[in-house]
Amino acid sequence: MTLAKRIIPCLDVDRGRVVKGINFVGIRDAGDPVEIARRYNEQNADEITFLDITASHEGRGTTLEMVSHIAGEVFIPLTVGGGIRTCDDIRALLNAGADKISINTTAVTNPDFVYEASQRFGSQCIVVAIDAKQVSAPGEPLKWEIFTHGGRNTTGLDAVEWARRMVDYGAGEILLTSMDRDGTRQGFNLEMTRAISDAVTVPVIASGGVGSLDDLVAGVKEGGADAVLAASIFHFGEHTVEDAKRHMAAQGIEVRL
Amino acid sequence: MTIAVIDYGMGNLHSVAKALEHVGEERVTITRDPRAIKGATRVVLPGQGAIRDCMSELERAELKGLVNTLLADGDKPFLGICVGQQMLMTRSEENGGVRCLNYLPGSVKHFATDMTDADGQRLKVPHMGWNRVDQTHMHPLWEGIPAGERFYFVHSYFVAAEQHADVFGTTTYGHHTAHIATGRDAVFAVQFHPEKSAAAGLKLLANFVEWSP
């Protein structure tokens, strides 16, 4: 078994600029997505994920330009998510050079869209992003449900069943974010990651809550994740992607060094 | 001096075109015009999605005959990528069985879905991510690429060639040994995505651009 576990830095972009403080040593303008993507590529990132938080429709053109620039320079898989509603949105991003498209809210409001998109573009480029929170009380059997709108809106959908359904509809990969861990730096929700990774045949990317390199190790070893995604531990120069890989390799995890 | 990336409506051709532009001086054109393909110095056949769709779209674009001719002539450097590798085989078991271009004898099979790794964790299908490639035969396209280098894969089906001499590289996943690099004469084909495989992938594409078989 030599398939490497993947490490994926994630960037928030607004109108083609990276937002949410990035602080690499040696980069003066921290918001330049091409520069940042280049830096992560040099650090041996296995993929890069961009979450487009641009509110206005007009602003989306600049995101396409950004993807196009990066795709001309950084030759590793690029995933783009955020606000994907139509097959035209997907086509435009693929044409700009994105390799995978992450569908989040629209998968919940219109699950058939996942089917349509995977039929049209192939499952290999359709990632379904699942934002879930634990809803079971202490002592009860563990249960997680899907939330939308940044964790504010509940849907009542069971996360494990939902993940299975999305794979049936053609999702080629699941990006699983624990909304109660996101931003806490307390580590992934390992029970949820394990439950979903065991429930589906496709790869699962663990996300939400990474505060240390040991959290990445736990995501793979305890959570059973095929890939781990993190933002802040890389952005602030605390750790490089290379550091993370060496740490994981030292714990016996297969990585691409 | 032009590299033609064949556009028959299947998959994302922009990444491969950008990577080829990045590594060489030759003009890269994404095209379905038979004259442009015939006139090119090199040809790339990409492919994504279901193989039945790839085969039928190639036919619908009226390019199947031309691709067969290019393969049979064997004088123009030709690179197949992903489903573009699989299509060169005799048949695929995907979509209930699909007849392919039959350039190389062999078939395309599905990974077993019940495989686990040494720790007992389930091996996911698609086989997605960076895996090691064993270079089983020397080839100009492997020039300068270390043995066991990792490349980026995304696939659920893999090539099983019948003739040892046609296999240039293998990758192990579970109990399968996938023939992830195959070729003959001026044809080379890979299951992984060189355009997404960082420095190693770019090196392979640079070798292709310089290859004079």
Side-chain angles (χ1 to χ4, degrees):
Chain A
M1 165 60 184
T2 51
L3 182 66
K5 299 296 178 183
R6 289 168 282 151
I7 307 204
I8 308 174
C10 177
L11 303 166
D12 285 357
V13 297
D14 184 5
R15 284 161 290 172
R17 303 289 293 172
V18 174
V19 294
K20 224 187 191 176
I22 301 254
N23 188 18
F24 284 136
V25 180
I27 295 185
R28 204 174 305 162
D29 176 5
D32 179 2
V34 181
E35 185 87 359
I36 292 163
R38 206 184 282 145
R39 185 65 58 101
Y40 282 139
N41 183 42
E42 281 162 12
Q43 293 178 7
N44 248 341
D46 295 312
E47 299 183 24
I48 303 178
T49 291
F50 297 90
L51 183 61
D52 189 0
I53 57 168
T54 307
S56 70
H57 187 70
E58 305 80 69
R60 298 203 153 248
T62 43
T63 303
L64 292 177
E65 278 170 40
M66 175 202 83
V67 171
S68 173
H69 258 104
I70 294 170
E73 282 200 43
V74 175
F75 299 98
I76 57 174
L78 304 175
T79 302
V80 184
I84 308 295
R85 288 182 190 88
T86 66
C87 280
D88 286 345
D89 293 340
I90 296 176
R91 160 114 22 230
L93 282 163
L94 293 178
N95 284 348
D99 299 287
K100 301 190 232 182
I101 305 299
S102 169
I103 303 173
N104 190 339
T105 309
T106 310
V108 176
T109 56
N110 176 19
D112 288 340
F113 177 57
V114 173
Y115 179 76
E116 193 190 337
S118 62
Q119 284 291 309
R120 185 126 158 227
F121 302 104
S123 290
Q124 81 288 336
C125 68
I126 303 299
V127 182
V128 169
I130 295 182
D131 293 346
K133 269 191 207 178
Q134 192 155 321
V135 292
S136 47
E140 282 179 7
L142 291 168
K143 186 170 165 57
W144 308 274
E145 282 182 4
I146 306 298
F147 282 71
T148 60
H149 299 87
R152 291 191 304 278
N153 296 6
T154 178
T155 64
L157 294 164
D158 179 79
V160 176
E161 278 170 33
W162 180 248
R164 279 206 193 99
R165 184 166 166 210
M166 288 295 97
V167 172
D168 287 344
Y169 277 50
E173 196 171 26
I174 299 289
L175 168 54
L176 176 66
T177 302
S178 158
M179 297 309 286
D180 28 20
R181 292 299 178 92
D182 206 24
T184 65
R185 300 176 66 90
Q186 292 176 348
F188 297 120
N189 183 328
L190 297 171
E191 294 86 359
M192 179 173 79
T193 307
R194 170 56 76 181
I196 289 184
S197 187
D198 284 348
V200 298
T201 51
V202 304
V204 171
I205 306 168
S207 155
V210 175
S212 73
L213 299 183
D214 283 332
D215 291 337
L216 301 176
V217 171
V220 170
K221 285 201 161 176
E222 292 165 51
D226 302 282
V228 286
L229 180 140
S232 58
I233 62 159
F234 298 133
H235 296 342
F236 300 112
E238 237 173 286
H239 300 289
T240 64
V241 177
E242 193 79 42
D243 291 341
K245 289 190 162 185
R246 295 203 180 283
H247 187 79
M248 291 170 81
Q251 309 289 314
I253 296 173
E254 188 88 28
V255 292
R256 177 179 72 106
L257 285 167
Chain B
M1 299 290 273
T2 307
I3 304 172
V5 177
I6 302 180
D7 174 16
Y8 55 103
M10 290 307 289
N12 178 4
L13 314 170
H14 297 266
S15 294
V16 68
K18 282 182 173 182
L20 287 163
E21 278 164 3
H22 188 81
V23 298
E25 302 294 317
E26 293 185 31
R27 206 169 71 82
V28 180
T29 171
I30 296 175
T31 182
R32 56 170 56 206
D33 174 5
R35 274 177 313 175
I37 296 167
K38 276 184 219 155
T41 37
R42 291 161 209 285
V43 173
V44 177
L45 179 68
Q48 270 178 359
I51 199 161
R52 184 182 52 205
D53 296 344
C54 286
M55 286 302 301
S56 62
E57 288 302 302
L58 190 68
E59 215 154 333
R60 215 159 64 98
E62 296 179 0
L63 293 172
K64 191 177 155 193
L66 173 56
V67 168
N68 278 330
T69 307
L70 292 174
L71 293 168
D73 290 352
D75 49 8
K76 200 193 288 282
F78 185 106
L79 179 65
I81 298 175
C82 196
V83 183
Q85 182 209 15
Q86 299 178 3
M87 287 160 78
L88 303 185
M89 308 312 292
T90 312
R91 65 195 167 275
S92 171
E93 66 180 35
E94 190 177 358
N95 305 126
V98 173
R99 217 193 295 217
C100 303
L101 296 169
N102 196 26
Y103 173 66
L104 297 179
S107 57
V108 183
K109 301 177 171 185
H110 197 271
F111 283 119
T113 49
D114 56 355
M115 301 189 295
T116 51
D117 66 12
D119 300 326
Q121 293 214 16
R122 180 197 277 202
L123 292 185
K124 301 301 179 70
V125 177
H127 171 231
M128 182 188 287
W130 300 78
N131 206 340
R132 291 192 186 281
V133 167
D134 292 318
Q135 299 167 17
T136 52
H137 281 111
M138 299 228 291
H139 193 280
L141 267 68
W142 292 140
E143 185 71 41
I145 298 172
E149 183 61 272
R150 289 184 188 275
F151 289 85
Y152 185 79
F153 291 86
V154 190
H155 61 129
S156 301
Y157 291 82
F158 65 94
V159 165
E162 276 166 21
Q163 295 183 11
H164 182 66
D166 295 335
V167 180
F168 289 90
T170 60
T171 286
T172 306
Y173 193 50
H175 58 75
H176 298 292
T177 300
H179 297 159
I180 54 73
T182 45
R184 202 184 269 188
D185 302 326
V187 177
F188 196 78
V190 291
Q191 176 66 64
F192 55 78
H193 289 271
E195 75 281 12
K196 288 291 149 187
S197 294
L202 294 177
K203 179 63 181 157
L204 185 131
L205 292 176
N207 290 340
F208 174 67
V209 170
E210 283 164 20
W211 186 28
S212 37

